Amino acid sequence: GQNIDQPTEMTATEGAIVQINCTYQTSGFNGLFWYQQHAGEAPTFLSYNVLDGLEEKGLFSSFLSRSKGYSYLLLKELQMKDSASYLCAVMDSNYQLIWGAGTKLIIKP
Amino acid sequence: NAGVTQTPKFQVLKTGQSMTLQCAQDMNHEYMSWYRQDPGMGLRLIHYSVGAGITDQGEVPNGYNVSRSTTEDFPLRLLSAAPSQTSVYFCASSYAPGTGNEKLFFGSGTQLSVL
């Protein structure tokens, strides 16, 4: 079966760096997405990786290793507004999205 | 720029009632979809459409119907509501799969409770 694994919850301190991991087993691969979802709101797009390596976008980066079925989202200089759930999703060979259950990130002052 | 407009925001139904969740997008996206989100689980695809007149079932289609008569609109119908359908529902749209531009734009969500 197809599966996405990510930690259920993480805690970090304001101003620090946090890495949220995502491992996947899917039928084929057509890209990996990260979305941010604040409580009570809709998910919003953060990043898309289809090739191996690191994509940097200011205060966050996303990394992909297709051979290892692994990605991470790196958030730097954490702010209280970064408290949210982070969803990892993989697009399989049929272009269907397989979603992880999300990682709830708690930022402490 | 409206994006994806989803209504209603909240709804309470009694078991056996029917209702329609509305979804409209103004980005000329070919792909539209409906998800449900339950605590501790990933988003689960209910139904999707790759263009007007074309719909298909997702992972959890039972108890739901959809239609796509125009590019803009993709309503979700609950035929006979059951407590198991209590959930948060999201409509989402994107450009067609395979274009390399598949990032989803989500509606604001509907919190549905079935008593």
Side-chain angles (χ1 to χ4, degrees), chain A residues 74-89:
Chain A
L74 191 73
L75 304 173
K76 308 170 195 171
E77 298 179 27
L78 288 170
Q79 303 174 49
M80 298 304 292
K81 67 178 183 177
D82 296 322
S83 293
S85 288
Y86 292 85
L87 314 181
C88 174

Side-chain angles (χ1 to χ4, degrees), chain B residues 63-82:
Chain B
Y64 308 94
N65 271 356
V66 291
S67 60
R68 184 96 180 268
S69 56
T70 66
T71 300
E72 294 77 19
D73 299 298
F74 191 48
L76 177 72
R77 296 181 187 84
L78 278 70
L79 309 173
S80 177

Side-chain angles (χ1 to χ4, degrees), chain A residues 8 30 33 35 37 40-45 48 85 87 91 94-102, chain B residues 9 31 35 37 40-45 48 90 97-100 102-109:
Chain A
T8 302
N30 276 305
F33 296 83
Y35 287 82
Q37 185 177 24
E41 298 183 8
T44 55
F45 171 80
Y48 170 67
S85 288
L87 314 181
M91 196 156 49
N94 294 318
Y95 294 96
Q96 295 293 334
L97 279 172
I98 313 301
W99 293 84
Chain B
K9 189 112 176 114
Y31 179 85
Y35 285 95
Q37 186 174 40
M41 303 181 73
L43 289 164
R44 291 188 291 168
L45 183 65
Y48 66 98
F90 289 103
T99 59
E102 294 95 349
K103 72 175 184 183
L104 286 172
F105 292 80
F106 285 84
S108 56

Side-chain angles (χ1 to χ4, degrees), chain B residues 31-50:
Chain B
Y31 179 85
M32 296 187 74
S33 56
W34 278 101
Y35 285 95
R36 59 178 289 173
Q37 186 174 40
D38 300 292
M41 303 181 73
L43 289 164
R44 291 188 291 168
L45 183 65
I46 303 170
H47 285 285
Y48 66 98
S49 167
V50 296

